[in-house]
Amino acid sequence: MRVLVIGLSRYSAPTGICRYSDMLCRALSNIKGVKATLAIGAWQEHYFREAFGSYSHSDVKLVDIHNDPFSRNAWYTTKLPAMARDLRADVVHFAYPVPFVRKLHCPVVVTLHDLYPYEVPENFKFAAANQAFLKICLRRCKAVICISRTTLDGLTEFLPDVAKSRLLAQIYNPINRPETAASQQPVAGLQSGKFVLTVGQHRPNKNLDLLQRTFAALRVDYKIPADWKLVIVGSEDRQTTELRALTRELDLTSHVVYLSSITDSELAWLYGNCAIAAFPSSYEGLCMPVVEALLWGARVVCSDIPTLREVGMDACTYFPLQSKPVESFAKAISTAMLRPAETLRTSAHFSPSGAAQRIYEVYQSVICAPAPSAVV
């Protein structure tokens, strides 16, 4: 079976979707008889090669176009069909929803990570357009893979016609625990056990402003040592300017470390050496970093929202966002520092081999043209 995975996106630094594209291809490469080809933008090559090591497990095709919305969307319509035919793809798998309008010669599968255009419209400059693009993509595919039960429920709520007329599957991300290289040095001069870590794009739903205010409050109340750092790992986005301004306002310039485009080895070092991994999101489709942090045995503190409860179960320390969030968050961090790290009991859900096998079964189903509204 030949599978063409579309990982093309606008980001010139790693994001969760990019990591998913790599992990998907890596997992598929271990299934006998499956050949995975990964299509990415030329501007993405450096981190797929250096940070993810995608070239070691998959055939990577570079798309050499301008990195702008018009060029990317035009490629989906004018060039992608020819690439799929030339590769004799049996299935085209979009790593995230894109507005493709031209019918392809083979079935299309789409991974749906979240319903951000509906749940968190402030993440987008033109939310209505993103909602329209999402509908176009989901209505033209044969199967939708939802990465969590929360995402599947959101799809049923906001786009019931899609939920009723497409093959649906709820399959957690295939997640490999990132590993440190033997030569890995401390990242950014950080000291082991002396920093709070978070991983995520600079977007409103990540509540990185709340994290900074909570970190500042813990310092003022002497609940954490004065030499601790707050490490924010993630690509810059619409909220970056505001976040950096808040860092200055809270007088945290020398205590907040912003990182992006780091390697898996560096990320693994951060997970393995942080005092606390904190995720105060108000909405998530899954939150892969929570799983990665737990797989590393980190103490994880996160907001008490359905998705993070679904993923972390009793391995995390939770806090409510609704009332006095700074105080609640600070208390949760203080509590987590006193408890031993928990083992993720649901780690089997994220097994690359298990996820790959279930995704492979979805491919087989769409190739055999299943009846509408089947649920895997």
Side-chain angles (χ1 to χ4, degrees), residues 20 111-114 145-152 169-173 285-287 310-311 350:
Y20 175 81
T111 294
L112 182 63
H113 299 261
D114 52 62
I145 294 175
C146 298
I147 65 170
S148 67
R149 172 58 59 175
T150 302
T151 299
L152 179 59
Q170 195 273 293
I171 305 174
Y172 292 109
N173 286 7
L286 176 77
C287 199
E310 176 185 349
V311 171
F350 307 98

Side-chain angles (χ1 to χ4, degrees), residues 95-276:
Y96 70 103
V98 300
F100 72 99
V101 296
R102 185 175 173 184
K103 188 175 180 179
L104 303 181
H105 79 281
C106 60
V108 173
V109 175
V110 177
T111 294
L112 182 63
H113 299 261
D114 52 62
L115 275 297
Y116 278 0
Y118 293 92
E119 296 274 12
V120 200
E122 59 269 26
N123 272 359
F124 305 94
K125 189 174 183 179
F126 304 106
N130 286 90
Q131 291 174 4
F133 292 160
L134 180 59
K135 290 178 183 177
I136 290 172
C137 181
L138 297 184
R139 286 171 179 166
R140 284 188 170 272
C141 68
K142 274 204 168 185
V144 181
I145 294 175
C146 298
I147 65 170
S148 67
R149 172 58 59 175
T150 302
T151 299
L152 179 59
D153 292 343
L155 173 62
T156 304
E157 176 184 354
F158 291 107
L159 295 170
D161 62 316
V162 171
K164 292 176 181 178
S165 60
R166 298 293 179 272
L167 175 69
L168 303 182
Q170 195 273 293
I171 305 174
Y172 292 109
N173 286 7
I175 298 180
N176 289 290
R177 190 183 88 155
E179 298 296 339
T180 53
S183 59
Q184 180 61 55
Q185 298 296 311
V187 176
L190 295 166
Q191 298 182 57
S192 180
K194 291 189 175 184
F195 61 93
V196 175
L197 172 69
T198 193
V199 181
Q201 284 178 262
H202 302 174
R203 285 185 161 186
N205 63 292
K206 301 294 185 180
N207 289 332
L208 299 179
D209 53 341
L210 170 61
L211 177 56
Q212 290 197 73
R213 294 185 189 281
T214 302
F215 183 77
L218 287 167
R219 282 173 48 78
V220 169
D221 294 339
Y222 301 102
K223 295 294 180 63
I224 58 174
D227 61 345
W228 276 29
K229 307 285 187 181
L230 171 59
V231 181
I232 299 175
V233 179
S235 58
E236 295 189 355
D237 213 301
R238 297 188 61 205
Q239 208 184 20
T240 301
T241 301
E242 297 173 23
L243 291 173
R244 290 187 177 275
L246 180 61
T247 301
R248 295 189 294 270
E249 178 187 327
L250 296 173
D251 196 23
L252 293 175
T253 303
S254 60
H255 297 282
V256 177
V257 179
Y258 288 93
L259 298 173
S260 64
S261 299
I262 64 174
T263 66
D264 273 11
S265 178
E266 291 170 323
L267 181 60
W269 187 91
L270 292 170
Y271 284 137
N273 290 276
C274 66
I276 294 287

Side-chain angles (χ1 to χ4, degrees), residues 275 294 297-300 314-317 335-343:
L294 290 172
R299 294 180 178 85
V300 176
D314 57 359
C316 302
T317 300
T335 300
M337 289 167 59
L338 299 175
R339 63 179 284 190
E342 298 284 347
T343 301

Side-chain angles (χ1 to χ4, degrees), residues 1-5 24-37 57-59 90-91 93 356-357 359-361 363-364 367:
M1 180 185 293
R2 297 180 180 87
V3 182
L4 174 57
V5 176
L24 173 61
C25 288
R26 189 184 298 270
L28 290 174
S29 69
N30 291 318
I31 295 183
K32 186 177 181 180
V34 173
K35 176 179 173 57
T37 299
H57 57 73
S58 297
D59 178 27
D90 298 297
V91 175
H93 189 156
Q357 183 59 42
I359 292 170
Y360 177 62
E361 290 167 4
Y363 295 160
Q364 291 178 312
I367 290 173

Side-chain angles (χ1 to χ4, degrees), residues 61-105:
K61 299 291 184 184
L62 294 182
V63 178
D64 193 6
I65 58 175
H66 291 294
N67 185 16
D68 60 73
F70 176 81
S71 298
R72 292 192 304 273
N73 292 335
W75 182 83
Y76 297 132
T77 300
T78 62
K79 302 296 183 181
L80 172 58
M83 176 182 283
R85 282 195 307 271
D86 291 344
L87 292 171
R88 293 183 293 168
D90 298 297
V91 175
V92 169
H93 189 156
F94 286 101
Y96 70 103
V98 300
F100 72 99
V101 296
R102 185 175 173 184
K103 188 175 180 179
L104 303 181
H105 79 281

